[in-house]
Amino acid sequence: MTEQSLRSSFGVAAAAYAEHRPDYAQAAVRWAVEVAPGTRVLDLGAGTGKLSATLTALGLDVVAVEPDPAMLAELRRALPAVSALPGSAEAIPLPDASVDAVLAGNALHWFDMAVAGPEIARVLAPGGVLAGLWNVLDDRVDWVAELERVSGSAAIGPRDTAGRWRTATADLLAPSGGPVAGFGSPERAEFPHAQLRTAESLVATLATRAGMLVMPDPDRAAVLGRIRAFLGSRPETAEGEFVLPMLTGVLRARRQ
């Protein structure tokens, strides 16, 4: 399976993505932008607008850029007041030095940073911030760790758990041990987060992961059935709504 096919898989599930994917912890978003020189923020690889909604709720001036037409349509439907443009991390449709921060919610790992790094630096004002955010499952909780084992890597990958996200993203802003050109050394932090789920809605959420979307239908049904059976067997998740323990991890660097 190529990275391009994984990257382009989300549009077919745009409505489900919008319904089931979590928002981002406000404390994490505040930390991501707290050192930015102003309030103009680009949500890059914005998907259906999960991060844009949090940025807007914090009173920031948001522009969103998303390459997939179906995801972009969902974003525009959900957040009509947000300026939402077609484009990519490698070709950002904004002028030089036009934003104070560039944030990417569960998207930075899809960028070709050899191209996107200079392009992001171009649109950032001096001292501006680049930050990637990931919603990760808190696998310090026993049943969540077991869910990871049962689900497999297509549904819960290395960037999807608190125990592994730092290692899995270590090279994104510091390839080969040095920071991306134009940026200072990256910093990391994690913030408590949670999502109210049912067994069925959690299964639907995991079904929107890239590895699941590109899986052959019989294999996908088997994995989702295994997850559903596990959730039905656990007292924490078998009946009604439950809180899914999560963290929002943030990786940020400043434009030099």
Side-chain angles (χ1 to χ4, degrees):
M1 190 63 59
T2 67
E3 183 149 321
Q4 177 58 39
S5 63
L6 290 169
R7 184 186 299 121
S8 60
S9 65
F10 295 109
V12 297
Y17 192 105
E19 180 179 359
H20 295 294
R21 285 292 184 106
D23 61 3
Y24 294 84
Q26 287 197 358
V29 178
R30 289 192 188 97
W31 186 83
V33 301
E34 69 181 3
V35 295
T39 60
R40 301 167 299 166
V41 181
L42 166 60
D43 181 3
L44 188 56
T48 61
K50 293 290 183 177
L51 180 55
S52 288
T54 305
L55 291 164
T56 301
L58 292 174
L60 297 165
D61 180 11
V62 182
V63 58
V65 168
E66 166 57 38
D68 187 280
M71 302 288 270
L72 187 62
E74 283 288 338
L75 192 160
R76 287 170 169 164
R77 181 192 61 78
L79 299 170
V82 171
S83 174
L85 307 172
S88 69
E90 297 78 18
I92 301 172
L94 294 178
D96 295 358
S98 57
V99 295
D100 300 299
V102 174
L103 270 59
N106 279 79
L108 189 66
H109 51 275
W110 298 122
F111 300 170
D112 177 0
M113 289 305 293
V115 180
E119 182 69 347
I120 291 168
R122 178 186 66 79
V123 303
L124 275 172
V129 173
L130 166 61
L133 297 90
W134 289 267
N135 281 320
V136 299
L137 303 180
D138 191 349
D139 56 352
R140 298 170 299 184
V141 177
D142 288 346
W143 74 262
V144 177
E146 182 65 10
L147 173 65
E148 177 190 7
R149 188 193 66 77
V150 167
S151 299
S153 60
I156 301 178
R159 291 181 298 267
D160 299 328
T161 61
R164 296 199 287 165
W165 87 270
R166 284 186 173 230
T167 300
T169 60
D171 293 337
L172 291 179
L173 296 185
S176 302
V180 170
F183 291 90
S185 297
E187 305 170 275
R188 292 173 178 81
E190 292 118 9
F191 299 84
H193 197 27
Q195 188 181 27
L196 194 61
R197 299 277 73 182
T198 64
E200 283 303 318
S201 68
L202 181 52
V203 169
T205 300
L206 295 175
T208 68
R209 300 296 174 90
M212 297 296 295
L213 293 172
V214 300
M215 189 178 286
D217 287 345
D219 296 342
R220 185 169 181 266
V223 172
L224 295 177
R226 190 166 68 240
I227 295 170
R228 189 177 288 109
F230 168 76
L231 293 173
S233 74
R234 293 289 306 207
E236 300 93 341
T237 58
E239 298 293 336
E241 291 186 325
F242 57 87
V243 174
L244 177 64
M246 302 170 64
L247 301 171
T248 298
V250 188
L251 176 66
R252 76 178 183 189
R254 296 188 72 178
R255 183 181 183 276
Q256 293 182 317

